[in-house]
Amino acid sequence: MQVCGLWPFIAGSSDLPVGVPLGKNLLKGTVVCADPISWFLANLINQPSCFVLGRPGLGKSTLVRRMVTVLEAWGHIPMVLSDTKPDYVDLIDAMGGQVFHVGPGQEVINILDFSQLLSELEQIPDDITRGDAPRREAIDAMKRRRATLVTGLLELGRDARISEKERSMVVEGLRILDEEFDIEKEGRQPRISDLVALVRSRHPRLAAIAQDRGDEERYAERTELLLDGLIALTSSGVYGSIFDGDSTVQIEAGRPVVFDLSSIDDGDLTLQAAVQAVSWSFGSAVVDAEKYLADAALRPRRHYFLVMDELWRMLRASSAMVFFVDALTRLNRARGIAQAMITHTMDDLKLSSDELTTIAWGFVARSAMVFIGGLAQSEMGNLEQVFAMSAREKSMIMDWSADGSLNPHTGTQAVPPGRGKFLLKIGKKPGTPFEVELTAAEMDVNDTNRAWTTAAERFRANAARVTETLEEAA
């Protein structure tokens, strides 16, 4: 009876064979399968979301690329809405997806141009006999999203929430453009510069919101800050023509897509955050439109996997972006969207106030599954409290955070001990440690250090010559 409890005479249970095969269980040697969509559909988690944490260079993007690759093969459409390195361009291109290069002198995204989606939503029939108005509901939702995007960018530029008066003026201004802008005469869609001109014109409906009391000087005073923010979004402002021109970006529903932001200077966090906000908003808008069209039986129902990498860039750029991301991600389950949010450490989510930090930490706490790579003790934040991590789990994660040793003779650095290793946590249940194993087919789209390839080859060649010279001298 006692022998039954002794190793190796007992076999442990295998991991659930549900989801994307990720790698080998470090304790049992079995294959670990997991992804937020498959586990949600199998009722193993209550929402299709995951968060990935880990120090740079330990394989966070590789883990997510594995999910993207298999989920796309299973019919779920990946949308990588801010690829800043880039880490996903080669993969999405290999899938035959759309690659948009956004940055100064590249693609233009007219932040007021939702015409493609609005025209598709016009096809939805209203059922007057039942009092239903799904077409109007869908169109109104899309216009609210457009207004939210503009106000979000204004708050990013100001690094503060805008006033209710300014928010109302933006909403009403967009409504006036919808009613009065002559697209056929102008030969284009309205732009943010047209909204600037409208505010400057002291349109009677805007003057009423500004409560200028018939005084032009009072109107100018009460709209000065709003105009400052709007002008910054035009081609005369700090963002150049990225948001103020004819859109060259048209997302084709049903195809994988990636927004490549790698041309934007890493030091320009505000511009990166602005383009991230726009790409996230446009990507989510496409998915929203797809849902409304599917509800009306005009499209097959599709599910999307949104990848939100380098989250820290947006959160650090402006406190207002914390609220923007919070609002953007809370309703994804109802939209039929799964999401993966990625950053380095919990320190990335420590922001300028306790309130903002609590909201940002909530992104991790609300995620149904969390993949934790190598982290130092000081970088774990509240993970121990939220996920009830054992001493063994914490020790494992800290061991993975060590750097690879350097060989002084060859000049090459050993692979870090935590490369590709993650702990999968679901709530307060014991975690599952595993190591990602790549197939040969994945290798070509998983080299995220290509910018250093030539330098590395030159370094190795120089090191070999030095070693050869020393050996000859000896």
Side-chain angles (χ1 to χ4, degrees):
M1 291 178 62
Q2 299 304 319
V3 169
C4 294
L6 297 178
W7 182 90
F9 302 107
I10 184 169
S13 61
S14 62
D15 292 297
L16 288 172
V18 176
V20 174
L22 299 178
K24 186 177 294 184
N25 188 310
L26 293 174
L27 300 180
K28 297 185 291 186
T30 54
V31 176
V32 174
C33 299
D35 69 79
I37 295 181
S38 302
W39 280 38
F40 176 71
L41 295 176
N43 293 319
L44 297 175
I45 53 178
N46 59 12
Q47 57 179 330
S49 63
C50 70
F51 207 105
V52 183
L53 286 160
R55 282 187 164 187
L58 295 185
K60 298 185 299 299
S61 298
T62 300
L63 170 64
V64 176
R65 277 194 298 269
R66 165 61 64 83
M67 293 187 202
V68 166
T69 301
V70 179
L71 287 174
E72 193 272 340
W74 289 348
H76 306 298
I77 302 156
M79 301 183 81
V80 184
L81 300 181
S82 57
D83 193 358
T84 60
K85 290 184 180 178
D87 282 336
Y88 304 87
V89 167
D90 291 342
L91 175 60
I92 298 300
D93 187 52
M95 290 176 174
Q98 295 177 282
V99 179
F100 297 118
H101 305 282
V102 184
Q106 296 188 317
E107 304 276 10
V108 176
I109 308 177
N110 181 352
I111 57 177
L112 300 191
D113 185 5
F114 282 62
S115 58
Q116 176 192 6
L117 299 177
L118 291 171
S119 63
E120 293 177 352
L121 296 176
E122 288 285 357
Q123 304 170 29
I124 299 176
D126 282 337
D127 190 345
I128 300 177
T129 59
R130 297 190 343 182
D132 291 342
R135 180 173 66 234
R136 178 50 46 199
E137 177 188 344
I139 290 174
D140 287 348
M142 201 59 57
K143 290 181 177 180
R144 287 195 300 271
R145 178 180 287 281
R146 179 184 58 181
T148 299
L149 174 58
V150 175
T151 55
L153 291 174
L154 291 173
E155 291 176 340
L156 171 62
R158 191 179 299 181
D159 194 13
R161 308 300 294 272
I162 65 174
S163 68
E164 290 305 315
K165 172 198 67 182
E166 293 170 315
R167 195 179 305 276
S168 297
M169 291 188 72
V170 168
V171 172
E172 187 64 15
L174 294 174
R175 191 176 292 127
I176 293 169
L177 286 178
D178 287 338
E179 297 169 3
E180 300 182 4
F181 188 84
D182 192 334
I183 296 175
E184 291 187 4
K185 177 183 177 182
E186 299 293 339
R188 60 177 176 82
Q189 293 294 323
R191 303 170 182 167
I192 197 71
S193 52
D194 296 309
L195 182 58
V196 170
L198 181 66
V199 175
R200 281 176 169 164
S201 72
R202 195 167 163 252
H203 191 285
R205 285 156 62 178
L206 297 181
I209 295 174
Q211 300 183 66
D212 66 358
R213 302 171 187 170
D215 186 338
E216 291 186 16
E217 290 187 5
R218 177 176 168 83
Y219 180 83
E221 179 183 333
R222 290 179 64 78
T223 59
E224 182 177 7
L225 282 177
L226 175 60
L227 278 171
D228 287 344
L230 290 173
I231 290 170
L233 298 173
T234 69
S235 55
S236 302
V238 296
Y239 302 118
S241 60
I242 296 178
F243 305 136
D244 188 31
D246 294 332
S247 278
T248 60
V249 172
Q250 296 291 343
I251 300 177
E252 184 180 334
R255 285 181 65 191
V257 62
V258 58
F259 283 78
D260 176 14
L261 279 56
S262 61
S263 67
I264 301 175
D265 189 338
D266 280 344
D268 196 343
L269 288 182
T270 301
L271 178 56
Q272 280 193 342
V275 178
Q276 278 182 308
V278 172
S279 59
W280 290 6
S281 184
F282 267 76
S284 298
V286 170
V287 178
D288 269 3
E290 284 275 278
K291 178 182 180 299
Y292 285 114
L293 292 167
D295 289 343
L298 297 175
R299 287 277 177 85
R301 193 169 298 280
R302 303 184 179 105
H303 292 94
Y304 288 80
F305 183 41
L306 268 59
V307 177
M308 301 177 176
D309 209 340
E310 298 293 331
L311 181 65
W312 67 272
R313 295 179 185 274
M314 177 176 271
L315 300 183
R316 291 289 178 86
S318 167
S319 59
M321 287 296 98
V322 181
F323 299 99
F324 180 86
V325 175
D326 188 47
L328 191 67
T329 58
R330 278 186 178 274
L331 299 177
N332 277 350
R333 181 180 65 175
R335 298 168 179 157
I337 303 173
Q339 68 186 33
M341 304 177 79
I342 309 165
T343 195
H344 298 141
T345 72
M346 291 299 288
D347 286 347
D348 292 342
L349 308 180
K350 286 183 180 179
L351 304 176
S352 58
S353 71
D354 291 341
E355 178 193 10
L356 296 176
T357 298
T358 299
I359 295 173
W361 279 7
F363 299 153
V364 182
R366 287 203 313 271
S367 296
M369 51 173 50
V370 177
F371 296 91
I372 307 173
L375 295 172
Q377 175 71 50
S378 60
E379 297 169 330
M380 294 187 189
N382 65 340
L383 291 177
E384 183 178 355
Q385 289 74 34
V386 174
F387 298 106
M389 293 173 62
S390 67
R392 183 182 185 183
E393 289 174 341
K394 289 187 292 182
S395 176
M396 191 181 301
I397 290 169
M398 287 188 286
D399 289 344
W400 293 343
S401 69
D403 294 329
S405 58
L406 183 68
N407 187 322
H409 298 292
T410 64
T412 58
Q413 190 169 22
V415 174
R419 174 80 55 87
K421 296 176 182 176
F422 294 90
L423 179 70
L424 170 58
K425 291 290 289 186
I426 307 295
K428 297 191 175 183
K429 298 177 182 178
T432 302
F434 67 93
E435 183 173 6
V436 177
E437 295 181 344
L438 296 179
T439 64
E442 294 173 286
M443 293 298 186
D444 193 46
V445 295
N446 272 276
D447 184 2
T448 59
N449 287 318
R450 289 184 179 179
W452 292 93
T453 300
T454 302
E457 291 174 353
R458 187 166 57 247
F459 179 81
R460 284 192 292 270
N462 290 338
R465 282 196 292 269
V466 170
T467 301
E468 182 180 348
T469 302
L470 292 174
E471 290 175 349
E472 289 175 355

